[in-house]
Amino acid sequence: MYCYHNPMGEVSIESHSHQKAQFLYTEGGLVYVKNELEEFYLPARHFMWIPPGVEHAIFPSSPKVVMRNLYFPVQKNDKAFYFQPGIYPVNDMLLQLLLFTESWNGDILPQDQEKFPIAVAFKVLLPQISNTPVLLNLPVARDERLKRVTHLLRKDLSKNRSIAEIAQQFSISERTLHRLFKKDMNISFIRYYTLLRIFTAIEYIIEGKYTIAEIALMVGYASLPSFSNTFTKIVGKRPTEYYKSNYISSLSKV
């Protein structure tokens, strides 16, 4: 096993893969984890499990981001959990184990009598306390037309664009655009647009620079109750509650 804690700064990690599975936990901001098919939004107080051999790139949203990584070997007869990428909330027990690993760095071998049993227990506990992944991921467009469409949507979310407006701008029919989203990304236009807005709102909330009302307008919601209700349905918490989680207390010393 291998352990690595580090401040990311503004450094992005280009696409790569590992022979071991990766447990990735972050503090201080949002981390984007991207592969050819999906883009994951990893917020604080959550972890991402990345199976071995999965190509991925990592992009921090802020120079304040700190990553905590544990790399585990995965065997063929291990549980299905270990072979699927996913984002999960971190409970207090897992936070305490992370605190315990804070001084670890490098290989953790069987002869490390104090560390090894805890590292093994950490891996064993993950599927038991991580029953359902949080759906904080968006599919990545492969069709060149959709790449241009999704780029436009991301460019300025404060403008509430309809599918009719988008279709007209790109000189295609609404029906064709609907089909492109379903065929290329297996998601509807409305669902993609809604998730993109809410995931961007998460980043703004974490930044702590704006009020909830300001964020609602920044991601295209004229109605604060509508934004709050949509956010709650997707994230499971109201926007005002989202950033009230407790983080690992020693991070301020990193």
Side-chain angles (χ1 to χ4, degrees):
M1 301 178 186
Y2 188 80
C3 185
Y4 184 52
H5 304 286
N6 71 308
M8 288 192 68
E10 297 178 337
V11 177
S12 298
I13 301 174
E14 297 301 321
S15 186
H16 65 289
S17 64
H18 308 286
Q19 291 183 347
K20 294 183 175 72
Q22 180 178 0
F23 170 95
L24 169 60
Y25 178 84
T26 63
E27 288 290 359
L30 193 73
V31 168
Y32 307 99
V33 181
K34 301 179 182 180
N35 59 35
E36 290 184 354
L37 300 177
E38 294 177 288
E39 179 179 13
F40 293 86
Y41 293 70
L42 177 60
R45 198 69 191 249
H46 290 72
F47 77 88
M48 182 169 180
W49 180 263
I50 305 172
V54 173
E55 289 277 345
H56 60 284
I58 299 174
F59 305 91
S61 67
S62 163
K64 298 178 181 179
V65 168
V66 174
M67 287 202 313
R68 298 178 181 274
N69 296 281
L70 291 171
Y71 298 88
F72 297 95
V74 174
Q75 310 301 327
K76 290 182 179 180
N77 59 347
D78 277 342
K79 293 183 177 181
F81 168 88
Y82 300 111
F83 298 94
Q84 295 293 329
I87 292 175
Y88 301 87
V90 170
N91 64 14
D92 290 338
M93 179 174 64
L94 209 54
L95 283 175
Q96 290 303 314
L97 286 173
L98 280 170
L99 271 176
F100 200 88
T101 71
E102 188 176 29
S103 61
W104 297 2
N105 193 29
D107 290 321
I108 304 167
L109 304 172
Q111 56 262 38
D112 297 327
Q113 296 182 6
E114 293 183 356
K115 299 177 183 177
F116 192 75
I118 297 170
V120 172
F122 196 103
K123 178 188 173 185
V124 170
L125 284 169
L126 288 178
Q128 298 181 32
I129 62 178
S130 308
N131 297 320
T132 306
V134 182
L135 299 180
L136 293 173
N137 58 295
L138 278 174
V140 173
R142 290 165 290 181
D143 184 282
E144 290 300 324
R145 290 168 293 180
L146 275 191
K147 286 181 181 179
R148 293 193 292 270
V149 169
T150 55
H151 175 74
L152 176 66
L153 294 177
R154 290 169 180 267
K155 189 175 180 181
D156 187 1
L157 284 173
S158 65
K159 294 181 179 178
N160 187 3
R161 295 181 169 92
S162 67
I163 190 169
E165 179 186 348
I166 295 293
Q168 183 178 19
Q169 185 165 347
F170 286 90
S171 301
I172 56 178
S173 69
E174 289 183 48
R175 189 173 183 180
T176 298
L177 189 54
H178 271 297
R179 287 177 174 175
L180 278 175
F181 269 90
K182 293 296 289 185
K183 180 180 178 180
D184 191 63
M185 297 195 292
N186 195 31
I187 193 172
S188 69
F189 170 83
I190 294 298
R191 179 67 175 169
Y192 180 89
Y193 201 9
T194 301
L195 290 177
L196 179 61
R197 287 168 159 181
I198 297 304
F199 294 165
T200 304
I202 289 174
E203 181 176 348
Y204 289 143
I205 291 172
I206 290 174
E207 286 180 14
K209 298 178 181 178
Y210 313 101
T211 66
I212 299 301
E214 288 172 333
I215 291 171
L217 291 173
M218 291 165 69
V219 297
Y221 283 86
S223 165
L224 182 56
S226 177
F227 166 70
S228 183
N229 290 336
T230 303
F231 188 99
T232 304
K233 287 179 182 178
I234 293 172
V235 180
K237 292 182 180 180
R238 302 195 75 77
T240 51
E241 299 170 348
Y242 184 77
Y243 202 53
K244 294 180 181 179
S245 301
N246 294 316
Y247 302 138
I248 293 181
S249 59
S250 58
L251 276 175
S252 58
K253 303 175 184 177
V254 175

